[in-house]
């Protein structure tokens, strides 16, 4: 296996684990995140937090294991687009510290979206994938 394959696998591990842990965080901190979603005007906030947690959890495992890649990327892309545009509207925040935090999360999500969309350019099956 080429050195670039090892780098790709390492990147998959980092990216997959990031989303798995973020999804797990949604389940562990359901009450807090439900309150945050409610403060942003999200309808059915508890259900939305559970759904987005599941989307990240499943999408992260898909990337990590190299299975159901297109579905995993779809789950994560939908999550990132919707969350970025609804939860991190920094341009509407007047408090400067809160605005900065929302701006950081907005741009982080754009970077993550770019990273997962680039995965679509990698021919399947991926190195060390279960499928």
């Amino acid at each position: 296996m080429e050195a670039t394959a090892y780098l790709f696998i390492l990147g998959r591990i980092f990216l997959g684990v990031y989303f798995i842990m973020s999804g797990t965080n949604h389940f562990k901190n359901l009450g807090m995140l439900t309150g945050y979603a409610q403060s942003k005007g999200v309808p059915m906030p508890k259900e939305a937090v559970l759904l987005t947690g599941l989307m990240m959890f499943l999408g992260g495992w898909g990337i990590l294991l190299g299975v159901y890649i297109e579905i995993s990327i779809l789950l994560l892309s939908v999550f990132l687009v919707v969350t970025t545009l609804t939860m991190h509207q920094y341009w509407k925040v007047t408090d400067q510290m809160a605005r900065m935090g929302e701006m950081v999360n907005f741009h982080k999500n754009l970077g993550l979206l770019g990273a997962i969309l680039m995965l679509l350019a990698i021919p399947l099956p991926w190195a060390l994938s279960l499928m």
Side-chain angles (χ1 to χ4, degrees):
M1 193 164 29
E2 295 181 32
T4 55
Y6 290 111
L7 292 173
F8 179 64
I9 292 165
L10 184 61
R12 274 178 42 204
I13 292 168
F14 289 155
L15 193 59
V17 168
Y18 172 82
F19 283 111
I20 293 166
M21 297 302 294
S22 294
T24 301
N25 182 57
H26 274 55
F27 304 130
K28 285 183 179 178
N29 298 300
L30 181 60
M32 180 185 68
L33 292 173
T34 297
Y36 180 64
Q38 190 171 25
S39 77
K40 297 288 187 166
V42 173
M44 299 172 46
K46 182 177 181 180
E47 292 79 3
V49 171
L50 289 169
L51 177 62
T52 56
L54 186 62
M55 292 170 79
M56 286 189 290
F57 188 78
L58 293 175
W61 276 109
I63 288 173
L64 181 66
L65 300 175
V67 297
Y68 304 108
I69 301 305
E70 292 91 353
I71 294 169
S72 298
I73 291 172
L74 177 64
L75 287 171
L76 295 173
S77 295
V78 169
F79 162 75
L80 286 167
V81 168
V82 172
T83 301
T84 301
L85 296 176
T86 60
M87 301 296 288
H88 303 301
Q89 298 176 353
Y90 66 90
W91 54 91
K92 292 183 176 181
V93 179
T94 56
D95 177 73
Q96 288 301 316
M97 291 302 290
R99 181 183 185 105
M100 185 185 316
E102 294 296 352
M103 186 183 293
V104 166
N105 283 317
F106 183 92
H107 289 104
K108 171 199 50 116
N109 283 2
L110 289 181
L112 288 168
L113 180 60
I116 62 170
L117 290 176
M118 284 190 288
L119 293 176
L120 293 172
I122 309 297
L124 297 174
W126 290 347
L128 296 181
S129 293
L130 296 183
M131 283 183 89

